[in-house]
Amino acid sequence: MLRPLIVAPSILAADFAKLGDEVRAIDAAGANWIHVDVMDGHFVPNISIGPDVVKALRPHTRKVLDVHLMIAPCDPYLEAFAKAGADIITVHVEAGPHVHRSLQTIRALGKKAGVTLNPGTPESTIEPVIDLIDLILVMSVNPGFGGQSFIPFAAEKISRLRALAGARPIDIEVDGGITAETAPIVAQAGANVLVAGSAVFKGGKPDAYRANIAAIRNAAALARGEAA
């Protein structure tokens, strides 16, 4: 059974001077989830935002806030992001020695638990914790910057992870270089949550966002054998 197709624009590519407006615009333009990239300048070579920004954005949308923590250590911050209004909290398997504990903590906080794999990390690393996971995020670029090109071998990893997930109710998300051109590749491989930053926010206006989201969704839906 196919998991529902979800487009999750990444606010990393939004205009940070008017972030509330941008979130409302992508919500109205057809985003299913809002993807929030959190970077610490340590685990990844960039610094973005923290729990206070998530808290500030929460009143601007009722959509799922999909918070991707590219931070190490992550455990000291899980409660803060949960209280700020994150619906899904995703941690990197590479970010520390205790991913099992991190996932347990996220679930204990009443949130959905996600785990992320960098391009060079094998899918076997999450096999031991598969029953604690609601979402698997496959990085199809190296994390830290927006606007990078899609790494093609991510598609093979997605299909192996879809097989590993089996009949479990796990969403498989992909982030990095997702456009209307690459969406069919990852959708065919088994990803059902597509994160897109630059490809959604190009054009800089709500009408452009609507057209961009629709183009990604339609391309992925066709690849899944669904009517666009």
Side-chain angles (χ1 to χ4, degrees):
M1 169 119 173
L2 281 177
R3 303 281 300 159
L5 179 59
I6 288 163
V7 179
S10 167
I11 62 165
L12 192 63
D15 180 344
F16 271 49
K18 49 177 187 178
L19 209 42
D21 293 343
E22 292 274 68
V23 165
R24 288 198 303 274
I26 54 174
D27 182 327
N32 301 100
W33 294 357
I34 312 294
H35 188 80
V36 182
D37 285 310
V38 177
M39 306 178 186
D40 64 358
H42 163 72
F43 180 65
V44 291
N46 207 346
I47 296 173
S48 62
I49 60 173
D52 286 349
V53 174
V54 174
K55 185 178 178 182
L57 292 178
R58 185 68 277 183
H60 291 273
T61 181
R62 292 185 175 178
K63 299 277 170 74
V64 166
L65 286 182
D66 172 31
V67 177
H68 172 200
L69 300 183
M70 289 172 265
I71 65 176
C74 60
D75 289 6
Y77 303 97
L78 297 175
E79 187 175 359
F81 280 103
K83 285 184 172 169
D87 296 295
I88 303 167
I89 300 175
T90 299
V91 296
H92 272 255
V93 71
E94 310 90 356
H98 304 296
V99 70
H100 186 280
R101 177 185 293 160
S102 304
L103 295 167
Q104 278 184 319
T105 302
I106 294 166
R107 294 194 142 204
L109 289 164
K111 305 300 179 178
K112 288 196 166 180
V115 67
T116 316
L117 299 165
N118 281 332
T121 303
E123 55 277 6
S124 57
T125 53
I126 64 162
E127 212 167 332
V129 294
I130 192 80
D131 289 313
L132 284 172
I133 294 171
D134 298 294
L135 173 137
I136 301 167
L137 171 53
V138 178
M139 294 304 299
S140 44
V141 297
N142 284 294
F145 296 95
Q148 300 182 72
S149 297
F150 176 77
I151 296 173
F153 72 71
E156 296 163 38
K157 186 185 275 186
I158 289 165
S159 23
R160 291 194 294 269
L161 285 164
R162 179 48 75 202
L164 178 62
R168 297 175 184 88
I170 293 175
D171 289 310
I172 296 190
E173 181 172 47
V174 60
D175 182 3
I178 299 303
T179 63
E181 289 69 47
T182 55
I185 301 166
V186 296
Q188 273 181 326
N192 67 294
V193 183
L194 309 185
V195 176
S198 316
V200 166
F201 284 98
K202 67 183 182 190
K205 298 258 174 16
D207 285 352
Y209 303 164
R210 183 179 299 280
N212 296 340
I213 289 170
I216 292 166
R217 187 191 312 285
N218 294 347
L222 285 169
R224 283 159 51 105
E226 298 168 349

